[in-house]
Amino acid sequence: SLQPAMRRIAEQLLHDPELATDAVQETFAKLWHKRWRLSLMKNPQGFAITTLKNQCVSIARHQKHLAPLEDSPPMEDDLNETLAKEQQLQQLEEAILSLPPLHQQIIRLRYVEQLSTREVAERLQMSETNVNTTMSRAKEKLRVLLTDADNQNKKPSTPNPQ
């Protein structure tokens, strides 16, 4: 289920468990109204996460209007932090998609659906040892991919000599 991951994202963005629950519920309601489009999408989970993030932004804006100014956190800092997290999540998603299918499946079952190693092993009809070994290899590949991506983002651009 995507719901636990969506709840964590909403709590990180809104810093309030009740508002996070509201955001996830509203997102599922919006997704239900657009359910016919989801089956046509290449990445419906990504669409769901984007819809959730937009819902969180909407709730945060509404809360900002309701809160006294001195109690409001600086929105620019929150926005920059949120954008940085979104970029990291996008890089992670791209890195996961570059993994072999079995590695992708194990990572998603273990971390998105939050299944135990035993449950992953049962679902994939593998031993727990094989699941752990494959998961370790997948995480190592992700570390390398994400480190490479991070290093490329930090390199200063050099002009091309012509």
Side-chain angles (χ1 to χ4, degrees), residues 13-31:
L13 294 173
L14 296 170
H15 309 291
D16 183 325
E18 291 177 14
L19 290 176
T21 299
D22 291 346
V24 172
Q25 288 175 348
E26 285 294 320
T27 299
F28 277 116
K30 288 178 180 182
L31 293 173

Side-chain angles (χ1 to χ4, degrees), residues 99 103 106-107 111 129-143:
L99 294 174
H103 292 197
I106 288 175
I107 292 291
Y111 295 104
T129 303
N130 283 345
V131 168
N132 282 327
T133 301
T134 306
M135 190 165 37
S136 293
R137 290 178 182 156
K139 289 187 327 189
E140 181 57 34
K141 286 180 182 180
L142 287 174
R143 268 187 221 100

Side-chain angles (χ1 to χ4, degrees), residues 57-118:
V57 168
S58 177
I59 289 172
R61 279 189 194 131
H62 183 70
Q63 290 299 312
K64 182 180 176 187
H65 290 293
L66 297 179
L69 289 177
E70 59 272 357
D71 292 343
S72 297
M75 287 299 280
E76 187 175 320
D77 291 344
D78 286 348
L79 182 59
N80 288 337
E81 185 178 317
T82 300
L83 291 174
K85 285 181 182 179
E86 282 185 39
Q87 183 179 14
Q88 288 173 340
L89 286 172
Q90 181 65 33
Q91 288 175 339
L92 177 60
E93 182 66 28
E94 289 171 8
I96 290 171
L97 290 173
S98 73
L99 294 174
L102 180 61
H103 292 197
Q104 288 181 36
Q105 196 172 17
I106 288 175
I107 292 291
R108 289 193 191 285
L109 290 171
R110 184 71 180 98
Y111 295 104
V112 176
E113 294 188 27
Q114 297 184 328
L115 298 180
S116 69
T117 303
R118 176 179 291 158

Side-chain angles (χ1 to χ4, degrees), residues 7-70:
R7 173 133 173 117
R8 279 193 312 277
I9 291 168
E11 283 185 18
Q12 287 174 348
L13 294 173
L14 296 170
H15 309 291
D16 183 325
E18 291 177 14
L19 290 176
T21 299
D22 291 346
V24 172
Q25 288 175 348
E26 285 294 320
T27 299
F28 277 116
K30 288 178 180 182
L31 293 173
W32 177 253
H33 291 294
K34 296 178 182 183
R35 64 188 176 274
W36 60 273
R37 289 177 55 196
L38 291 175
S39 63
L40 303 174
M41 291 182 181
K42 190 174 185 179
N43 185 2
Q45 288 180 334
F47 179 76
I49 297 299
T50 300
T51 303
L52 173 66
K53 289 176 184 176
N54 290 339
Q55 183 64 34
C56 289
V57 168
S58 177
I59 289 172
R61 279 189 194 131
H62 183 70
Q63 290 299 312
K64 182 180 176 187
H65 290 293
L66 297 179
L69 289 177
E70 59 272 357

